[in-house]
Amino acid sequence: MRTFARTAAAICALTFLGASASAQNSLTTTFANNNGLSGAGATMYFDITVAATVQITGFDVNSYAAVGLPLGLNVFTTPGGYMGNEANPAAWTQVAQDNGTATAAGIGLPSSIPLVAPFILTPGTYGMALEQPQAGGHAYTNGNGANQTYSDSFLTLQLGSSAGSKFTGGLITPRVWNGCIYYDGGWVGTQY
């Protein structure tokens, strides 16, 4: 399992760097999915705690979309955390949108989605919602307590839950989002 996780992380980093050389850091969860939600609008929820200001530059996702199909991602955040806000659209701000410029790599593999317009997160805890707007949906892992936290020196992810469509309730929990977050760390205004 650890060999698979290291291999997925290496593939994740190489896939993204091939698409965009701007990413300096990444935080990978897992690509060892054992469950998922197929269909347009499938959404993953989790908390992201930021230790120092970062600029989020892209994501890799584990998608059910067939190899070669267009793949998009809508990213939303809410201050304080996702719990209690999953069915409250007014609590969320859309911070990034990609309507299908990426291509699906296949289930169990990182599908790279570089952001055309990166966004900044300052120190604190945020709820994050990742919606796949095209058919396909998220492949994820069932949470068991021991597999729900991932961190590095800048970010901590506390995973999470899923829903068939964003901000409508009907949550499935605990669920572990399968993916990578790419970011530039130490961001201060326009200077590092």
Side-chain angles (χ1 to χ4, degrees), residues 74-101:
N74 294 322
V75 182
F76 302 84
T77 60
T78 187
Y82 78 91
M83 287 189 199
N85 291 310
E86 303 94 338
N88 179 9
W92 296 88
T93 301
Q94 187 166 4
V95 293
Q97 177 179 13
D98 183 296
N99 288 323
T101 61

Side-chain angles (χ1 to χ4, degrees), residues 47-125:
D47 285 343
I48 180 169
T49 300
V50 180
T53 301
V54 296
Q55 178 177 244
I56 307 295
T57 59
F59 294 85
D60 281 350
V61 297
N62 190 355
S63 178
Y64 277 128
V67 175
L69 285 182
L71 187 65
L73 189 68
N74 294 322
V75 182
F76 302 84
T77 60
T78 187
Y82 78 91
M83 287 189 199
N85 291 310
E86 303 94 338
N88 179 9
W92 296 88
T93 301
Q94 187 166 4
V95 293
Q97 177 179 13
D98 183 296
N99 288 323
T101 61
T103 303
I107 191 166
L109 297 171
S111 296
S112 184
I113 305 175
L115 298 178
V116 174
F119 63 94
I120 292 174
L121 293 176
T122 57
T125 298

Side-chain angles (χ1 to χ4, degrees), residues 4 18 23 42 49 59 69 72 83 96 102 123 129 132 143 166 182 191:
F4 177 80
T49 300
F59 294 85
L69 285 182
M83 287 189 199
Q132 287 193 16
K166 70 178 184 292
Y182 293 93
Q191 301 291 319

Side-chain angles (χ1 to χ4, degrees), residues 76-191:
F76 302 84
T77 60
T78 187
Y82 78 91
M83 287 189 199
N85 291 310
E86 303 94 338
N88 179 9
W92 296 88
T93 301
Q94 187 166 4
V95 293
Q97 177 179 13
D98 183 296
N99 288 323
T101 61
T103 303
I107 191 166
L109 297 171
S111 296
S112 184
I113 305 175
L115 298 178
V116 174
F119 63 94
I120 292 174
L121 293 176
T122 57
T125 298
Y126 303 84
M128 188 167 278
L130 302 179
E131 176 198 25
Q132 287 193 16
Q134 282 80 22
H138 292 279
Y140 54 69
T141 305
N142 293 336
N144 62 22
N147 67 349
Q148 292 174 238
T149 302
Y150 295 82
S151 63
D152 63 18
S153 58
F154 287 97
L155 304 177
T156 298
L157 305 181
Q158 186 63 47
L159 309 165
S161 62
S162 65
S165 59
K166 70 178 184 292
F167 314 138
T168 59
L171 295 176
I172 307 165
T173 188
R175 295 297 182 256
V176 175
W177 171 66
N178 286 188
C180 291
I181 297 179
Y182 293 93
Y183 66 94
D184 294 329
W187 186 265
V188 180
T190 59
Q191 301 291 319

